[in-house]
Amino acid sequence: MYKILTLLFISLIFTSCTSKNSAFKYFEKDDIETKGIHYTKKIDILKDNEIDIIFWATYLNKIDKNISDSKKEVFLISVYFANADSQSMRKNEYKFLLNGIEAVLFEKVEEDNENFKSLMLKNHWGNYYLVKFDSLEDVNNLRLQLTNQKSSKAILDFEK
């Protein structure tokens, strides 16, 4: 009896510690998409207890060195303005800050872009942006902020 329990316990340890023990093994996801989910965060801005803005960000520096720029902090960001006439960041007067510093590059990414297609989280309503900031030295925590002049803001914290 003890021999059977010992063998069962040892086999359980070996099968649970293998690299194939992942929730993504049941889905058709590549390594970049799996890492993308790990380094993606989301927050909503509420107005009158209703969602006003949905803000997603993926920290690309942690995912793939070929996608990101080693001299910059790079994010793939999705923004959806729920009650706005336009989805444009400029028309809605929003901007991105990283630890209080404005972005050096801000460009819209189309949904059919092959470089980022596997990282886009199927948000067909909002827009995707590639946002780059100057590299922050001697900093372990990155605070990405979506803000406007009306003091409406959302903050996502990332580990560098």
Side-chain angles (χ1 to χ4, degrees):
M1 175 75 171
Y2 290 113
K3 290 180 184 180
I4 293 173
L5 288 176
T6 305
L7 288 174
L8 181 64
F9 181 71
I10 291 172
S11 65
L12 180 66
I13 288 175
F14 282 121
T15 57
S16 64
C17 294
T18 62
S19 63
K20 294 181 181 181
N21 190 17
S22 170
F24 294 108
K25 74 179 182 181
Y26 300 108
F27 303 101
E28 294 179 14
K29 306 282 184 195
D30 58 4
D31 286 341
I32 290 177
E33 192 170 358
T34 304
K35 286 181 183 179
I37 292 170
H38 183 73
Y39 294 107
T40 298
K41 296 192 177 185
K42 175 193 173 282
I43 191 167
D44 298 328
I45 296 177
L46 300 177
K47 186 175 182 181
D48 299 326
N49 291 328
E50 291 185 16
I51 294 176
D52 190 40
I53 299 170
I54 300 173
F55 175 44
W56 300 71
T58 303
Y59 184 39
L60 297 180
N61 293 53
K62 293 280 190 173
I63 296 172
D64 188 1
K65 301 298 183 205
N66 297 329
I67 294 176
S68 66
D69 182 354
S70 62
K71 297 176 184 172
K72 305 280 185 214
E73 306 295 342
V74 185
F75 293 87
L76 180 64
I77 296 174
S78 172
V79 179
Y80 171 63
F81 299 97
N83 299 317
D85 294 332
S86 171
Q87 292 297 315
S88 170
M89 291 288 295
R90 296 192 201 304
K91 287 183 182 176
N92 288 311
E93 299 176 350
Y94 275 86
K95 61 183 176 181
F96 298 111
L97 302 174
L98 184 67
N99 291 11
I101 300 169
E102 281 196 54
V104 294
L105 176 78
F106 171 86
E107 65 183 25
K108 187 176 177 183
V109 177
E110 297 301 325
E111 287 189 37
D112 59 351
N113 185 311
E114 289 300 319
N115 293 331
F116 302 108
K117 192 170 188 163
S118 65
L119 295 171
M120 295 182 181
L121 297 172
K122 314 307 182 252
N123 178 5
H124 301 290
W125 303 287
N127 290 325
Y128 286 94
Y129 301 95
L130 181 66
V131 182
K132 293 185 180 183
F133 300 90
D134 286 328
S135 183
L136 300 174
E137 302 297 325
D138 301 325
V139 174
N140 292 329
N141 296 319
L142 300 174
R143 178 164 274 204
L144 181 64
Q145 183 175 338
L146 174 69
T147 185
N148 72 357
Q149 299 295 340
K150 300 172 188 171
S151 73
S152 180
K153 63 182 175 181
I155 298 172
L156 296 173
D157 291 317
F158 292 88
E159 189 174 309
K160 187 170 179 179

